[in-house]
Amino acid sequence: MGERVGRITTATAADVGVAAGNAARAQPEWAATPGPQRAALIRRAARTLEDNRAEFERWLVREGGSIPGKAAFEVDLALGELWEAAALPTQPWGHLLPTSEPGRDSIARRVPLGVVGVISPWNFPLILSMRAVAPALALGNAVLLKPDLQTAVSGGVLLARLFEEAGLPEGLLGILPGDAEPGKALAEDPTVAMIAFTGSTAVGREVGAAAARTLKRVSLELGGNNALIVLDDADLEVASSAGAWGAFLHQGQVCMTAGRHIVLESVAGEYLDRLAKRAANLPVGNPFTDQVALGPLINERQAANVERIVAETVAAGAEVRAGGVRDGLFFEPTVLAGVTPAMPAFREEIFGPVAPVIVVADEAEAVAVANDTDYGLVVAVQTGSAQRGLDLAAYLNSGIVHVNDQTLNNDAFAPFGGVGASGNGSRFGSRSSWDEFTSWQWVTSRAQAHGFPF
């Protein structure tokens, strides 16, 4: 841990301006390229990723602290995004409209936005870059990608190499790693028609405000404080497995992490016992050298923040049932009992391997507690009756609900996104990509012009 794995140059605001100009000049010819040719290029990128997946997985482990299983899962997700994006350019891209005037043809057609800016985070850097880059390119746009500095290779450089190998023309994909400076420049550059941002709610608000000054389209996929509801008819062995996976995968550093386990009182004791036992059996260590279930947190600041949240929650009256110990960047998978809505582990997005358990009396209280947050990304419900879970879903303020599953689900062909502090709606997914990365243009034509009363 702590070894240097490479060196990369950071982008400045001036670099963003140059890249935006290059992209704007390259984009019209790319948009005019027939859809089947664009689709073929995206398919070549997918095949290149398949042929080189071991290298991509290795970078996800070395750079971001992924365990190998998570890295393989992320590459599979990125492949799904590429194959779905490859299907877009050959889909119908317009409508024949009725017309109120004889002799006039009227159509509505989708046109690319132009230059799309993508700002991606460090936790799932490959997939969270790819899910915007691939469909944006497929639909005829140029893309400027700013990956997080902590994962600039797996979230940026590797994508550039992938599309370069596939034959993408020069200027259509710019990689601009850096901190706030290039991100701010992307949001404010008038050449950039859209920003697709994935990251924290606080930074997302700043990006949205900056982009508004040039009237850009903005897609914000932000944080989550997601609930896993365990009803009294749930299979507790399965529910505790879903709870452990949802809370501890990638050290809890996922926007979809199960951050609040809301359990009916009659089964809470057994659920806690099972969840704590699972947590205690998960090894923590260096995923590059050891066979572990959890790797390191991304940096010292994040580790210290998780430690603070746990300590303040315990000081407020919660009980540590498993874990709770930090060793540098490593944090043991932690189960907290006796958590109440007033405690930090309930209120804050932890982004660490912590499972706070909140006990409720009945379904109505479970819904009220689940909705007691500014976030609204995903809720999962564990129950012996799928219909009972579906009935509950109607009352949950969340962009995504999974019944008899865990919170960490992602399909390239499904709409993904949250409400409230989790973002501005379900913006990703194959069919949603048409709405996201193109705009409507209404076109009418006549065989001959005609005069008017004036």
Side-chain angles (χ1 to χ4, degrees):
M1 301 303 298
E3 297 178 12
R4 177 176 291 170
V5 296
R7 186 185 297 271
I8 193 165
T9 301
T10 57
T12 65
D15 294 327
V16 171
V18 171
N22 293 338
R25 286 186 289 273
Q27 186 269 332
E29 184 176 351
W30 175 244
T33 302
Q37 292 182 29
R38 282 186 267 122
L41 187 144
I42 302 295
R43 288 194 295 270
R44 288 197 297 274
R47 287 193 292 271
T48 302
L49 177 54
E50 287 181 324
D51 292 342
N52 295 276
R53 65 175 300 150
E55 181 180 359
F56 281 73
E57 291 174 15
R58 187 163 54 251
W59 272 105
L60 289 166
V61 173
R62 293 300 307 276
E63 194 176 36
S66 300
I67 63 170
K70 180 267 187 184
F73 174 61
E74 186 168 352
V75 171
D76 285 338
L77 291 176
L79 282 167
E81 294 290 346
L82 283 164
W83 290 120
E84 289 298 320
L88 293 172
T90 53
Q91 291 177 359
W93 52 287
H95 302 307
L96 177 64
L97 303 176
T99 181
S100 57
E101 300 179 28
R104 183 179 73 169
D105 292 328
S106 179
I107 64 170
R109 64 185 181 187
R110 296 280 195 173
V111 296
L113 296 175
V115 180
V116 172
V118 178
I119 302 174
S120 62
W122 50 262
N123 58 332
F124 271 72
L126 178 62
I127 178 59
L128 296 180
S129 294
M130 189 68 78
R131 70 175 181 181
V133 171
L137 288 172
L139 292 170
N141 299 283
V143 176
L144 301 179
L145 169 63
K146 192 202 85 67
D148 191 282
L149 269 178
Q150 296 168 109
T151 50
V153 175
S154 48
V157 174
L158 289 180
L159 277 83
R161 291 288 295 130
L162 193 67
F163 284 102
E164 182 181 30
E165 289 291 319
L168 186 70
E170 189 174 350
L172 290 172
L173 177 58
I175 308 300
L176 300 157
D179 49 21
E181 182 182 349
K184 183 174 184 289
L186 270 179
E188 294 179 344
D189 193 306
T191 308
V192 177
M194 175 194 172
I195 294 291
F197 172 85
T198 303
S200 72
T201 298
V203 176
R205 288 190 171 109
E206 295 179 7
V207 169
R213 287 192 281 273
T214 53
L215 302 180
K216 286 179 174 55
R217 181 177 297 183
V218 183
S219 169
L220 301 174
E221 204 273 280
L222 308 177
N225 192 3
N226 313 296
L228 172 69
I229 298 174
V230 182
L231 299 182
D232 51 9
D233 59 350
D235 181 327
L236 297 181
E237 183 65 14
V238 171
S240 62
S241 175
W245 180 259
F248 304 137
L249 177 68
H250 196 42
Q251 300 78 260
Q253 301 173 123
V254 193
C255 62
M256 297 177 285
T257 290
R260 295 175 299 149
H261 298 233
I262 301 169
V263 188
L264 264 61
E265 186 175 15
S266 61
V267 295
E270 185 177 350
Y271 178 80
L272 266 165
D273 289 343
R274 291 176 182 270
L275 184 63
K277 182 178 179 180
R278 290 181 183 278
N281 289 329
L282 295 175
V284 181
N286 186 341
F288 189 67
T289 58
D290 303 318
Q291 189 170 352
V292 297
L294 282 79
L297 293 170
I298 190 65
N299 56 37
E300 170 65 27
R301 183 178 66 178
Q302 184 61 27
N305 191 53
V306 174
E307 186 175 42
R308 174 193 63 80
I309 291 172
V310 170
E312 290 180 0
T313 301
V314 171
E319 175 193 358
V320 176
R321 292 291 299 272
V325 177
R326 174 191 170 195
D327 180 11
L329 297 182
F330 300 102
F331 207 102
E332 292 182 356
T334 298
V335 177
L336 298 177
V339 175
T340 69
M343 296 177 180
F346 181 95
R347 287 287 158 204
E348 299 185 40
E349 183 183 24
I350 304 171
F351 235 62
V354 180
V357 178
I358 303 96
V359 179
V360 295
D362 52 29
E363 285 184 37
E365 188 180 1
V367 169
V369 170
N371 288 340
D372 185 15
T373 176
D374 292 335
Y375 296 96
L377 183 54
V378 57
V379 177
V381 181
Q382 287 284 324
T383 174
S385 165
Q387 189 58 54
R388 188 181 180 192
L390 290 171
D391 291 343
L392 212 63
Y395 300 98
L396 295 168
N397 299 329
S398 179
I400 305 166
V401 179
H402 299 300
V403 176
N404 281 336
D405 209 333
Q406 39 78 39
T407 54
L408 301 166
N409 278 288
N410 188 91
D411 287 324
F413 39 80
F416 183 95
V419 297
S422 291
N424 55 1
S426 296
R427 313 298 291 264
F428 297 99
S430 57
R431 295 192 65 181
S432 303
S433 295
W434 283 99
D435 296 321
E436 197 71 342
F437 300 113
T438 68
S439 61
W440 282 110
Q441 184 182 61
W442 180 33
V443 180
T444 68
S445 64
R446 295 175 177 275
Q448 292 183 326
H450 69 94
F452 293 89
F454 291 169

